[in-house]
PDB file of all heavy atoms in Angstrom:
ATOM      1  N   ARG A  18     197.170 104.141 222.776  1.00 91.00           N
ATOM      2  CA  ARG A  18     198.170 105.195 223.170  1.00 91.00           C
ATOM      3  C   ARG A  18     198.142 105.511 224.628  1.00 91.00           C
ATOM      4  O   ARG A  18     197.140 105.324 225.320  1.00 91.00           O
ATOM      5  CB  ARG A  18     197.950 106.402 222.338  1.00 91.00           C
ATOM      6  CG  ARG A  18     196.726 107.242 222.760  1.00 91.00           C
ATOM      7  CD  ARG A  18     196.397 108.285 221.802  1.00 91.00           C
ATOM      8  NE  ARG A  18     197.498 109.282 221.538  1.00 91.00           N
ATOM      9  CZ  ARG A  18     197.277 110.476 221.133  1.00 91.00           C
ATOM     10  NH1 ARG A  18     196.065 110.959 220.896  1.00 91.00           N
ATOM     11  NH2 ARG A  18     198.356 111.302 220.732  1.00 91.00           N
ATOM     12  N   LYS A  19     199.258 105.921 225.164  1.00 88.00           N
ATOM     13  CA  LYS A  19     199.313 106.277 226.535  1.00 88.00           C
ATOM     14  C   LYS A  19     199.670 107.722 226.732  1.00 88.00           C
ATOM     15  O   LYS A  19     199.912 108.171 227.846  1.00 88.00           O
ATOM     16  CB  LYS A  19     200.473 105.450 227.196  1.00 88.00           C
ATOM     17  CG  LYS A  19     200.089 103.911 227.158  1.00 88.00           C
ATOM     18  CD  LYS A  19     201.299 103.091 227.799  1.00 88.00           C
ATOM     19  CE  LYS A  19     200.980 101.607 227.879  1.00 88.00           C
ATOM     20  NZ  LYS A  19     200.653 101.054 226.670  1.00 88.00           N
ATOM     21  N   ASN A  20     199.815 108.504 225.673  1.00 88.00           N
ATOM     22  CA  ASN A  20     200.147 109.885 225.788  1.00 88.00           C
ATOM     23  C   ASN A  20     199.084 110.752 225.060  1.00 88.00           C
ATOM     24  O   ASN A  20     199.341 111.704 224.364  1.00 88.00           O
ATOM     25  CB  ASN A  20     201.571 110.137 225.054  1.00 88.00           C
ATOM     26  CG  ASN A  20     201.479 109.819 223.508  1.00 88.00           C
ATOM     27  OD1 ASN A  20     200.563 109.018 223.122  1.00 88.00           O
ATOM     28  ND2 ASN A  20     202.320 110.307 222.781  1.00 88.00           N
ATOM     29  N   GLY A  21     197.788 110.446 225.281  1.00 91.00           N
ATOM     30  CA  GLY A  21     196.753 111.210 224.728  1.00 91.00           C
ATOM     31  C   GLY A  21     196.410 112.525 225.472  1.00 91.00           C
ATOM     32  O   GLY A  21     197.118 112.859 226.314  1.00 91.00           O
ATOM     33  N   PRO A  22     195.411 113.120 225.080  1.00 96.00           N
ATOM     34  CA  PRO A  22     194.934 114.427 225.669  1.00 96.00           C
ATOM     35  C   PRO A  22     194.649 114.219 227.183  1.00 96.00           C
ATOM     36  O   PRO A  22     194.316 113.191 227.701  1.00 96.00           O
ATOM     37  CB  PRO A  22     193.654 114.834 225.005  1.00 96.00           C
ATOM     38  CG  PRO A  22     193.717 113.980 223.634  1.00 96.00           C
ATOM     39  CD  PRO A  22     194.446 112.697 224.003  1.00 96.00           C
ATOM     40  N   GLN A  23     194.984 115.354 227.933  1.00 96.00           N
ATOM     41  CA  GLN A  23     194.688 115.262 229.406  1.00 96.00           C
ATOM     42  C   GLN A  23     193.268 115.691 229.614  1.00 96.00           C
ATOM     43  O   GLN A  23     192.626 116.376 228.826  1.00 96.00           O
ATOM     44  CB  GLN A  23     195.700 116.319 230.079  1.00 96.00           C
ATOM     45  CG  GLN A  23     197.067 116.026 229.893  1.00 96.00           C
ATOM     46  CD  GLN A  23     197.445 114.746 230.451  1.00 96.00           C
ATOM     47  OE1 GLN A  23     197.271 114.383 231.606  1.00 96.00           O
ATOM     48  NE2 GLN A  23     198.094 113.856 229.617  1.00 96.00           N
ATOM     49  N   LYS A  24     192.809 115.270 230.781  1.00 95.00           N
ATOM     50  CA  LYS A  24     191.370 115.619 231.135  1.00 95.00           C
ATOM     51  C   LYS A  24     191.212 117.075 231.449  1.00 95.00           C
ATOM     52  O   LYS A  24     192.045 117.628 232.155  1.00 95.00           O
ATOM     53  CB  LYS A  24     191.019 114.765 232.433  1.00 95.00           C
ATOM     54  CG  LYS A  24     189.517 114.865 232.783  1.00 95.00           C
ATOM     55  CD  LYS A  24     189.130 113.960 233.844  1.00 95.00           C
ATOM     56  CE  LYS A  24     187.728 114.049 234.212  1.00 95.00           C
ATOM     57  NZ  LYS A  24     187.197 113.078 235.198  1.00 95.00           N
ATOM     58  N   LYS A  25     190.194 117.721 230.845  1.00 96.00           N
ATOM     59  CA  LYS A  25     189.969 119.080 231.202  1.00 96.00           C
ATOM     60  C   LYS A  25     188.424 119.302 231.485  1.00 96.00           C
ATOM     61  O   LYS A  25     187.681 118.463 231.098  1.00 96.00           O
ATOM     62  CB  LYS A  25     190.283 119.903 229.937  1.00 96.00           C
ATOM     63  CG  LYS A  25     191.791 119.841 229.613  1.00 96.00           C
ATOM     64  CD  LYS A  25     192.136 120.709 228.348  1.00 96.00           C
ATOM     65  CE  LYS A  25     193.643 120.457 227.951  1.00 96.00           C
ATOM     66  NZ  LYS A  25     193.892 121.215 226.711  1.00 96.00           N
ATOM     67  N   ALA A  26     188.117 120.294 232.232  1.00 95.00           N
ATOM     68  CA  ALA A  26     186.751 120.509 232.690  1.00 95.00           C
ATOM     69  C   ALA A  26     185.805 120.776 231.447  1.00 95.00           C
ATOM     70  O   ALA A  26     184.647 120.415 231.464  1.00 95.00           O
ATOM     71  CB  ALA A  26     186.692 121.631 233.765  1.00 95.00           C
ATOM     72  N   ALA A  27     186.231 121.533 230.524  1.00 97.00           N
ATOM     73  CA  ALA A  27     185.503 121.982 229.361  1.00 97.00           C
ATOM     74  C   ALA A  27     185.539 120.911 228.254  1.00 97.00           C
ATOM     75  O   ALA A  27     186.684 120.553 227.838  1.00 97.00           O
ATOM     76  CB  ALA A  27     185.895 123.283 228.889  1.00 97.00           C
ATOM     77  N   ARG A  28     184.364 120.387 227.818  1.00 98.00           N
ATOM     78  CA  ARG A  28     184.232 119.515 226.798  1.00 98.00           C
ATOM     79  C   ARG A  28     183.421 120.236 225.787  1.00 98.00           C
ATOM     80  O   ARG A  28     182.163 120.282 225.838  1.00 98.00           O
ATOM     81  CB  ARG A  28     183.560 118.178 227.137  1.00 98.00           C
ATOM     82  CG  ARG A  28     184.502 117.356 228.116  1.00 98.00           C
ATOM     83  CD  ARG A  28     183.745 116.080 228.592  1.00 98.00           C
ATOM     84  NE  ARG A  28     183.309 115.299 227.522  1.00 98.00           N
ATOM     85  CZ  ARG A  28     184.125 114.337 226.942  1.00 98.00           C
ATOM     86  NH1 ARG A  28     185.384 114.132 227.338  1.00 98.00           N
ATOM     87  NH2 ARG A  28     183.604 113.659 225.975  1.00 98.00           N
ATOM     88  N   LEU A  29     184.089 120.720 224.656  1.00 98.00           N
ATOM     89  CA  LEU A  29     183.400 121.544 223.688  1.00 98.00           C
ATOM     90  C   LEU A  29     182.858 120.982 222.447  1.00 98.00           C
ATOM     91  O   LEU A  29     183.536 119.969 221.902  1.00 98.00           O
ATOM     92  CB  LEU A  29     184.319 122.776 223.423  1.00 98.00           C
ATOM     93  CG  LEU A  29     184.776 123.659 224.487  1.00 98.00           C
ATOM     94  CD1 LEU A  29     185.735 124.731 223.982  1.00 98.00           C
ATOM     95  CD2 LEU A  29     183.681 124.203 225.256  1.00 98.00           C
ATOM     96  N   LEU A  30     181.833 121.498 221.861  1.00 98.00           N
ATOM     97  CA  LEU A  30     181.342 121.266 220.510  1.00 98.00           C
ATOM     98  C   LEU A  30     181.798 122.551 219.715  1.00 98.00           C
ATOM     99  O   LEU A  30     181.495 123.701 220.164  1.00 98.00           O
ATOM    100  CB  LEU A  30     179.925 121.008 220.438  1.00 98.00           C
ATOM    101  CG  LEU A  30     179.303 120.715 219.080  1.00 98.00           C
ATOM    102  CD1 LEU A  30     177.884 120.062 219.211  1.00 98.00           C
ATOM    103  CD2 LEU A  30     178.923 122.023 218.285  1.00 98.00           C
ATOM    104  N   VAL A  31     182.445 122.388 218.625  1.00 98.00           N
ATOM    105  CA  VAL A  31     182.814 123.538 217.694  1.00 98.00           C
ATOM    106  C   VAL A  31     181.923 123.370 216.499  1.00 98.00           C
ATOM    107  O   VAL A  31     181.943 122.360 215.735  1.00 98.00           O
ATOM    108  CB  VAL A  31     184.249 123.549 217.355  1.00 98.00           C
ATOM    109  CG1 VAL A  31     184.483 124.621 216.282  1.00 98.00           C
ATOM    110  CG2 VAL A  31     185.140 123.820 218.597  1.00 98.00           C
ATOM    111  N   TRP A  32     181.129 124.574 216.213  1.00 97.00           N
ATOM    112  CA  TRP A  32     180.329 124.601 214.988  1.00 97.00           C
ATOM    113  C   TRP A  32     180.935 125.578 214.177  1.00 97.00           C
ATOM    114  O   TRP A  32     181.173 126.751 214.553  1.00 97.00           O
ATOM    115  CB  TRP A  32     178.843 124.983 215.440  1.00 97.00           C
ATOM    116  CG  TRP A  32     177.961 125.235 214.296  1.00 97.00           C
ATOM    117  CD1 TRP A  32     177.189 124.213 213.639  1.00 97.00           C
ATOM    118  CD2 TRP A  32     177.587 126.466 213.656  1.00 97.00           C
ATOM    119  NE1 TRP A  32     176.441 124.801 212.680  1.00 97.00           N
ATOM    120  CE2 TRP A  32     176.653 126.254 212.650  1.00 97.00           C
ATOM    121  CE3 TRP A  32     177.988 127.788 213.964  1.00 97.00           C
ATOM    122  CZ2 TRP A  32     176.168 127.218 211.843  1.00 97.00           C
ATOM    123  CZ3 TRP A  32     177.478 128.831 213.116  1.00 97.00           C
ATOM    124  CH2 TRP A  32     176.474 128.474 212.072  1.00 97.00           C
ATOM    125  N   SER A  33     181.197 125.200 212.876  1.00 96.00           N
ATOM    126  CA  SER A  33     181.975 126.140 211.977  1.00 96.00           C
ATOM    127  C   SER A  33     181.660 125.777 210.591  1.00 96.00           C
ATOM    128  O   SER A  33     180.917 124.881 210.184  1.00 96.00           O
ATOM    129  CB  SER A  33     183.446 126.055 212.279  1.00 96.00           C
ATOM    130  OG  SER A  33     184.186 127.027 211.592  1.00 96.00           O
ATOM    131  N   HIS A  34     182.411 126.446 209.675  1.00 94.00           N
ATOM    132  CA  HIS A  34     182.261 126.130 208.226  1.00 94.00           C
ATOM    133  C   HIS A  34     183.549 125.418 207.822  1.00 94.00           C
ATOM    134  O   HIS A  34     183.698 124.367 208.191  1.00 94.00           O
ATOM    135  CB  HIS A  34     182.136 127.489 207.442  1.00 94.00           C
ATOM    136  CG  HIS A  34     182.879 128.616 207.978  1.00 94.00           C
ATOM    137  ND1 HIS A  34     184.187 128.497 208.323  1.00 94.00           N
ATOM    138  CD2 HIS A  34     182.533 129.955 208.205  1.00 94.00           C
ATOM    139  CE1 HIS A  34     184.627 129.743 208.733  1.00 94.00           C
ATOM    140  NE2 HIS A  34     183.647 130.616 208.736  1.00 94.00           N
ATOM    141  N   ILE A  35     184.422 126.076 206.988  1.00 92.00           N
ATOM    142  CA  ILE A  35     185.686 125.468 206.612  1.00 92.00           C
ATOM    143  C   ILE A  35     186.772 125.746 207.676  1.00 92.00           C
ATOM    144  O   ILE A  35     187.413 126.746 207.629  1.00 92.00           O
ATOM    145  CB  ILE A  35     186.162 125.980 205.298  1.00 92.00           C
ATOM    146  CG1 ILE A  35     185.103 125.840 204.254  1.00 92.00           C
ATOM    147  CG2 ILE A  35     187.321 125.325 204.805  1.00 92.00           C
ATOM    148  CD1 ILE A  35     185.365 126.382 202.849  1.00 92.00           C
ATOM    149  N   LEU A  36     186.823 124.884 208.708  1.00 93.00           N
ATOM    150  CA  LEU A  36     187.856 124.933 209.653  1.00 93.00           C
ATOM    151  C   LEU A  36     189.068 124.190 209.292  1.00 93.00           C
ATOM    152  O   LEU A  36     189.149 122.917 209.474  1.00 93.00           O
ATOM    153  CB  LEU A  36     187.350 124.474 211.056  1.00 93.00           C
ATOM    154  CG  LEU A  36     188.306 124.590 212.262  1.00 93.00           C
ATOM    155  CD1 LEU A  36     188.749 126.008 212.478  1.00 93.00           C
ATOM    156  CD2 LEU A  36     187.563 124.006 213.503  1.00 93.00           C
ATOM    157  N   ASP A  37     189.996 124.842 208.484  1.00 94.00           N
ATOM    158  CA  ASP A  37     191.023 124.135 207.803  1.00 94.00           C
ATOM    159  C   ASP A  37     192.451 124.255 208.213  1.00 94.00           C
ATOM    160  O   ASP A  37     193.385 123.710 207.630  1.00 94.00           O
ATOM    161  CB  ASP A  37     190.891 124.546 206.229  1.00 94.00           C
ATOM    162  CG  ASP A  37     191.328 126.004 206.059  1.00 94.00           C
ATOM    163  OD1 ASP A  37     191.432 126.731 207.073  1.00 94.00           O
ATOM    164  OD2 ASP A  37     191.482 126.395 204.867  1.00 94.00           O
ATOM    165  N   ASP A  38     192.654 124.875 209.427  1.00 95.00           N
ATOM    166  CA  ASP A  38     194.022 125.081 209.884  1.00 95.00           C
ATOM    167  C   ASP A  38     193.986 124.615 211.397  1.00 95.00           C
ATOM    168  O   ASP A  38     193.202 125.133 212.160  1.00 95.00           O
ATOM    169  CB  ASP A  38     194.479 126.556 209.772  1.00 95.00           C
ATOM    170  CG  ASP A  38     195.902 126.676 210.007  1.00 95.00           C
ATOM    171  OD1 ASP A  38     196.445 126.448 211.026  1.00 95.00           O
ATOM    172  OD2 ASP A  38     196.571 127.178 208.973  1.00 95.00           O
ATOM    173  N   VAL A  39     195.001 123.738 211.703  1.00 95.00           N
ATOM    174  CA  VAL A  39     194.961 123.279 213.134  1.00 95.00           C
ATOM    175  C   VAL A  39     195.203 124.386 214.061  1.00 95.00           C
ATOM    176  O   VAL A  39     194.967 124.183 215.335  1.00 95.00           O
ATOM    177  CB  VAL A  39     196.084 122.167 213.199  1.00 95.00           C
ATOM    178  CG1 VAL A  39     195.729 120.939 212.387  1.00 95.00           C
ATOM    179  CG2 VAL A  39     197.457 122.603 212.909  1.00 95.00           C
ATOM    180  N   ALA A  40     195.907 125.496 213.707  1.00 96.00           N
ATOM    181  CA  ALA A  40     196.164 126.598 214.585  1.00 96.00           C
ATOM    182  C   ALA A  40     194.849 127.076 215.239  1.00 96.00           C
ATOM    183  O   ALA A  40     194.829 127.506 216.353  1.00 96.00           O
ATOM    184  CB  ALA A  40     196.877 127.690 213.955  1.00 96.00           C
ATOM    185  N   LEU A  41     193.823 127.066 214.484  1.00 96.00           N
ATOM    186  CA  LEU A  41     192.549 127.483 215.010  1.00 96.00           C
ATOM    187  C   LEU A  41     192.006 126.546 216.117  1.00 96.00           C
ATOM    188  O   LEU A  41     191.534 126.946 217.216  1.00 96.00           O
ATOM    189  CB  LEU A  41     191.478 127.644 213.898  1.00 96.00           C
ATOM    190  CG  LEU A  41     191.808 128.699 212.877  1.00 96.00           C
ATOM    191  CD1 LEU A  41     190.862 128.499 211.615  1.00 96.00           C
ATOM    192  CD2 LEU A  41     191.593 130.134 213.391  1.00 96.00           C
ATOM    193  N   MET A  42     192.112 125.263 215.866  1.00 96.00           N
ATOM    194  CA  MET A  42     191.733 124.217 216.846  1.00 96.00           C
ATOM    195  C   MET A  42     192.733 124.247 218.058  1.00 96.00           C
ATOM    196  O   MET A  42     192.223 124.195 219.220  1.00 96.00           O
ATOM    197  CB  MET A  42     191.617 122.866 216.272  1.00 96.00           C
ATOM    198  CG  MET A  42     191.006 121.902 217.046  1.00 96.00           C
ATOM    199  SD  MET A  42     189.117 122.064 217.243  1.00 96.00           S
ATOM    200  CE  MET A  42     188.647 121.403 215.725  1.00 96.00           C
ATOM    201  N   GLU A  43     193.939 124.444 217.739  1.00 96.00           N
ATOM    202  CA  GLU A  43     194.922 124.466 218.797  1.00 96.00           C
ATOM    203  C   GLU A  43     194.662 125.628 219.802  1.00 96.00           C
ATOM    204  O   GLU A  43     194.909 125.539 221.018  1.00 96.00           O
ATOM    205  CB  GLU A  43     196.380 124.610 218.204  1.00 96.00           C
ATOM    206  CG  GLU A  43     196.878 123.296 217.637  1.00 96.00           C
ATOM    207  CD  GLU A  43     198.271 123.470 217.000  1.00 96.00           C
ATOM    208  OE1 GLU A  43     198.515 124.605 216.587  1.00 96.00           O
ATOM    209  OE2 GLU A  43     198.990 122.519 216.876  1.00 96.00           O
ATOM    210  N   THR A  44     194.296 126.754 219.178  1.00 96.00           N
ATOM    211  CA  THR A  44     194.040 127.977 219.987  1.00 96.00           C
ATOM    212  C   THR A  44     192.863 127.733 220.974  1.00 96.00           C
ATOM    213  O   THR A  44     193.030 128.068 222.121  1.00 96.00           O
ATOM    214  CB  THR A  44     193.721 129.214 219.082  1.00 96.00           C
ATOM    215  OG1 THR A  44     194.770 129.395 218.171  1.00 96.00           O
ATOM    216  CG2 THR A  44     193.353 130.419 219.806  1.00 96.00           C
ATOM    217  N   ILE A  45     191.844 127.049 220.562  1.00 96.00           N
ATOM    218  CA  ILE A  45     190.753 126.789 221.429  1.00 96.00           C
ATOM    219  C   ILE A  45     191.104 125.769 222.496  1.00 96.00           C
ATOM    220  O   ILE A  45     190.838 125.953 223.720  1.00 96.00           O
ATOM    221  CB  ILE A  45     189.495 126.346 220.625  1.00 96.00           C
ATOM    222  CG1 ILE A  45     189.039 127.428 219.716  1.00 96.00           C
ATOM    223  CG2 ILE A  45     188.393 125.920 221.564  1.00 96.00           C
ATOM    224  CD1 ILE A  45     187.970 127.134 218.813  1.00 96.00           C
ATOM    225  N   GLU A  46     191.710 124.633 222.007  1.00 97.00           N
ATOM    226  CA  GLU A  46     192.104 123.638 222.987  1.00 97.00           C
ATOM    227  C   GLU A  46     193.183 124.115 224.000  1.00 97.00           C
ATOM    228  O   GLU A  46     193.230 123.693 225.206  1.00 97.00           O
ATOM    229  CB  GLU A  46     192.573 122.363 222.301  1.00 97.00           C
ATOM    230  CG  GLU A  46     191.428 121.678 221.465  1.00 97.00           C
ATOM    231  CD  GLU A  46     191.780 120.346 221.033  1.00 97.00           C
ATOM    232  OE1 GLU A  46     192.869 120.109 220.455  1.00 97.00           O
ATOM    233  OE2 GLU A  46     190.922 119.441 221.204  1.00 97.00           O
ATOM    234  N   GLY A  47     194.199 124.974 223.414  1.00 96.00           N
ATOM    235  CA  GLY A  47     195.102 125.561 224.268  1.00 96.00           C
ATOM    236  C   GLY A  47     194.689 126.511 225.310  1.00 96.00           C
ATOM    237  O   GLY A  47     195.381 126.842 226.347  1.00 96.00           O
ATOM    238  N   ALA A  48     193.443 127.024 225.114  1.00 96.00           N
ATOM    239  CA  ALA A  48     192.854 127.934 226.080  1.00 96.00           C
ATOM    240  C   ALA A  48     192.311 127.214 227.310  1.00 96.00           C
ATOM    241  O   ALA A  48     191.942 127.810 228.361  1.00 96.00           O
ATOM    242  CB  ALA A  48     191.733 128.753 225.470  1.00 96.00           C
ATOM    243  N   GLY A  49     192.366 125.773 227.302  1.00 95.00           N
ATOM    244  CA  GLY A  49     191.971 124.955 228.451  1.00 95.00           C
ATOM    245  C   GLY A  49     190.717 124.160 228.222  1.00 95.00           C
ATOM    246  O   GLY A  49     189.914 123.945 229.130  1.00 95.00           O
ATOM    247  N   ALA A  50     190.618 123.664 226.999  1.00 97.00           N
ATOM    248  CA  ALA A  50     189.364 122.869 226.733  1.00 97.00           C
ATOM    249  C   ALA A  50     189.865 121.573 225.861  1.00 97.00           C
ATOM    250  O   ALA A  50     190.805 121.523 225.212  1.00 97.00           O
ATOM    251  CB  ALA A  50     188.428 123.656 226.058  1.00 97.00           C
ATOM    252  N   ASN A  51     188.935 120.612 225.918  1.00 98.00           N
ATOM    253  CA  ASN A  51     188.976 119.487 225.043  1.00 98.00           C
ATOM    254  C   ASN A  51     187.913 119.693 223.984  1.00 98.00           C
ATOM    255  O   ASN A  51     186.692 119.761 224.358  1.00 98.00           O
ATOM    256  CB  ASN A  51     188.878 118.085 225.663  1.00 98.00           C
ATOM    257  CG  ASN A  51     190.130 117.710 226.362  1.00 98.00           C
ATOM    258  OD1 ASN A  51     191.187 117.970 225.909  1.00 98.00           O
ATOM    259  ND2 ASN A  51     189.993 117.100 227.487  1.00 98.00           N
ATOM    260  N   VAL A  52     188.202 119.849 222.650  1.00 98.00           N
ATOM    261  CA  VAL A  52     187.127 119.892 221.645  1.00 98.00           C
ATOM    262  C   VAL A  52     186.800 118.359 221.295  1.00 98.00           C
ATOM    263  O   VAL A  52     187.644 117.755 220.683  1.00 98.00           O
ATOM    264  CB  VAL A  52     187.615 120.556 220.406  1.00 98.00           C
ATOM    265  CG1 VAL A  52     186.543 120.492 219.281  1.00 98.00           C
ATOM    266  CG2 VAL A  52     187.928 122.074 220.771  1.00 98.00           C
ATOM    267  N   VAL A  53     185.720 117.901 221.810  1.00 98.00           N
ATOM    268  CA  VAL A  53     185.359 116.469 221.708  1.00 98.00           C
ATOM    269  C   VAL A  53     184.501 116.138 220.474  1.00 98.00           C
ATOM    270  O   VAL A  53     184.387 115.004 220.115  1.00 98.00           O
ATOM    271  CB  VAL A  53     184.698 116.009 222.981  1.00 98.00           C
ATOM    272  CG1 VAL A  53     185.692 116.054 224.203  1.00 98.00           C
ATOM    273  CG2 VAL A  53     183.413 116.726 223.345  1.00 98.00           C
ATOM    274  N   ILE A  54     183.857 117.130 219.864  1.00 98.00           N
ATOM    275  CA  ILE A  54     183.073 116.920 218.672  1.00 98.00           C
ATOM    276  C   ILE A  54     182.972 118.239 217.917  1.00 98.00           C
ATOM    277  O   ILE A  54     183.013 119.308 218.477  1.00 98.00           O
ATOM    278  CB  ILE A  54     181.643 116.462 219.071  1.00 98.00           C
ATOM    279  CG1 ILE A  54     180.818 116.110 217.877  1.00 98.00           C
ATOM    280  CG2 ILE A  54     180.944 117.414 219.916  1.00 98.00           C
ATOM    281  CD1 ILE A  54     181.252 114.882 217.083  1.00 98.00           C
TER     282      ILE A  54
END
């Protein structure tokens, strides 16, 4: 692909239980981070 995520300074690990809605992940990534693992 040529339209993947943009480079961001923050590369985050998210530790959670049942993270089952993309809105939760979008909220963190939309704050200015790449959740990489």
